[in-house]
Amino acid sequence: MHDKTIPEPWLQFLKDIDNQIDTEVIFHCFGGFAIKLLFGLPRETSDVDVLAALVRDRYSELVSIAGKESALNKKHGVYLDLVSTIAVVPDNYDERLIKIDTRFLEKIRLYVMDPHDIVLAKLGRNSPKDIQDVIYLAKAANLDTKLLRQRYTEELLPYTIGPEVRETGKLEFWLEMIQEVQSS
C-alpha cells in the first residue's frame, strides 16, 4: 500500500465526495493526479482521471457530485473526470494497481496505475501535457522501455483502434524520448 498523504485540495475534495455517497466506490486513477501523488509531478492538474467503466452504475451520481462545473469543483477547484472514451488501457493493468492509503475515507477506495500503464494509457491522446508527463516519468519512475514495448504489444495493441502503424510510431517516438531523457 502506498501511504503518502494525499495533498490538498484533493484530500478534502475526496472527503467531500465520500460524505455525499452512500456505498463504496473504487477509483482507478491514471492521469496527472496519479503522477503527482506517486512521483511529485510539479505541474498543476485540476482533475482526477478515473476509469468510468468501474463506476458505471454510479456515473451520473459522481458526475453530479464531483464532475466539472459541480459544486465540489467550484469549492475545491478540482473535479472528477470519469474517462471512458479517450483512454485505452493495458489489458492487465488492474493486476498492477498501487493501492493508496484511504483509511480516512469510509467509502472511496483509491488505486493508481503502475507508471508504465499510465504512460500507455496516455499514448492514444498524445497531447503536449501527456508528453511532458512521460518525460517526467522517464526519470522519476525510471521507466523501462523494454517493459513498455512488451506491454504495448501484448496488452494494448490488440485493442487499439485506428491504424496500427500510427500508434506503433507514437510508441517508438516516446521510447526514443524516454531513452534520451534517461541518458542525459
Side-chain angles (χ1 to χ4, degrees):
M1 181 182 326
H2 185 70
D3 61 357
K4 283 190 180 178
T5 304
I6 296 173
E8 294 296 353
W10 299 281
L11 178 61
Q12 191 57 51
F13 175 69
L14 291 169
K15 284 181 179 180
D16 285 353
I17 296 170
D18 196 68
N19 288 332
Q20 292 187 40
I21 58 176
D22 56 7
T23 60
E24 184 177 277
V25 294
I26 298 171
F27 294 161
H28 291 184
C29 305
F30 64 94
F33 167 76
I35 300 169
K36 188 173 211 60
L37 187 59
L38 290 180
F39 299 101
L41 180 69
R43 80 166 169 82
E44 291 302 313
T45 183
S46 61
D47 61 351
V48 178
D49 294 317
V50 174
L51 290 178
L54 296 170
V55 294
R56 261 189 295 268
D57 56 335
R58 309 297 303 278
Y59 182 89
S60 296
E61 176 188 12
L62 289 167
V63 168
S64 175
I65 292 170
K68 202 168 195 174
E69 305 301 321
S70 67
L72 289 182
N73 174 219
K74 292 173 182 155
K75 177 180 178 182
H76 297 287
V78 295
Y79 63 95
L80 199 60
D81 191 3
L82 300 172
V83 180
S84 60
T85 56
I86 56 173
V88 178
V89 297
D91 192 36
N92 297 320
Y93 84 91
D94 56 333
E95 297 170 7
R96 299 178 290 267
L97 287 168
I98 301 164
K99 184 176 181 170
I100 303 301
D101 180 7
T102 55
R103 65 181 144 216
F104 54 87
L105 300 171
E106 290 181 38
K107 296 163 257 172
I108 294 175
R109 302 297 164 252
L110 193 63
Y111 296 84
V112 296
M113 285 186 188
D114 163 276
H116 295 85
D117 293 332
I118 291 172
V119 168
L120 292 172
K122 290 176 163 286
L123 185 64
R125 191 171 69 171
N126 194 33
S127 77
K129 271 199 280 192
D130 295 324
I131 293 170
Q132 289 172 355
D133 291 350
V134 171
I135 290 169
Y136 182 79
L137 282 173
K139 284 200 173 188
N142 195 26
L143 294 174
D144 180 336
T145 56
K146 289 179 184 172
L147 181 59
L148 280 167
R149 183 176 280 115
Q150 177 187 350
R151 285 190 190 168
Y152 171 77
T153 302
E154 295 173 5
E155 300 181 35
L156 197 63
L157 188 57
Y159 307 100
T160 300
I161 298 170
E164 178 181 329
V165 171
R166 182 180 70 214
E167 295 304 312
T168 303
K170 281 193 271 185
L171 175 72
E172 292 304 322
F173 172 74
W174 282 25
L175 293 175
E176 287 175 24
M177 181 177 62
I178 290 166
Q179 290 170 331
E180 188 176 308
V181 167
Q182 290 176 335
S183 67
S184 63

